[in-house]
Amino acid sequence: MTTTASKTGTDTVTVSRGAESVDPATLPVRPGEEAWTTDEVHELHTELISELERLQNEIDAAEAAISGLMRDSNDGAGDDQVDAGTKNISRESELALANNARDSLAQTERALARLEGVGFGTCESCGQAIGKARMQAFPRATLCVQCKAKQERR
């Protein structure tokens, strides 16, 4: 089943809701871990869908705030340096928050696509299982703990 949710303006987010198409037996696990269950897959899928919606709302709110700050910056005639600096910092902060939310949204969309398709739970670097516990804690993970540690040391 696919749901299309229209957001503000021209943005349209299409969210596939295909948890029932995921066979838990195909999801990799590390040695010693129990296999995925259907309930765990559905819970993870629901969590990713909720995260998509939350992030989109966060982006919409940040864009509205940025728009307001941009309007306010034009009528700043007579502002002293401190006021102008404060407005710039607020604007830069909102832009950074919006960009972080967009990055998280892209990662979440990718995790959902991997869950519903191919590659969820498999390390993109070494090809080994990432680990069920890690995927439950951070479903957007694309690297196992060892490969992530190597990446962070670089």
Side-chain angles (χ1 to χ4, degrees):
M1 171 169 65
T2 302
T3 300
T4 303
S6 180
K7 292 294 176 185
T8 60
T10 59
D11 296 343
T12 302
V13 177
T14 302
V15 178
S16 177
R17 299 184 187 266
E20 59 278 350
S21 66
V22 179
D23 180 6
T26 63
L27 297 177
V29 292
R30 297 179 66 85
E33 289 183 328
E34 293 182 18
W36 288 87
T37 66
T38 302
D39 288 342
E40 290 169 334
V41 171
H42 284 285
E43 181 180 326
L44 194 61
H45 191 269
T46 301
E47 180 183 326
L48 287 169
I49 296 291
S50 295
E51 185 72 0
L52 281 177
E53 293 166 357
R54 183 191 68 77
L55 288 166
Q56 189 59 56
N57 289 336
E58 189 175 311
I59 291 168
D60 292 344
E63 287 175 349
I66 291 167
S67 177
L69 289 169
M70 296 302 279
R71 266 192 316 273
D72 291 346
S73 70
N74 292 335
D75 67 355
D79 283 351
D80 62 12
Q81 290 178 338
V82 174
D83 290 339
T86 300
K87 287 180 181 179
N88 284 338
I89 290 172
S90 295
R91 200 170 35 249
E92 288 174 15
S93 176
E94 284 298 326
L95 285 168
L97 289 172
N99 286 333
N100 287 343
R102 281 188 196 96
D103 289 344
S104 293
L105 180 68
Q107 290 174 2
T108 303
E109 288 171 339
R110 188 161 178 248
L112 189 59
R114 287 173 48 121
L115 177 62
E116 295 173 350
V118 178
F120 186 81
T122 303
C123 179
E124 290 183 344
S125 180
C126 68
Q128 299 296 314
I130 292 174
K132 182 178 168 182
R134 178 167 165 77
M135 295 308 298
Q136 287 175 318
F138 187 66
R140 297 180 303 209
T142 58
L143 300 173
C144 65
V145 173
Q146 292 82 4
C147 291
K148 184 65 177 173
K150 286 179 195 174
Q151 180 191 52
E152 288 178 353
R153 278 185 255 149
R154 292 183 208 164

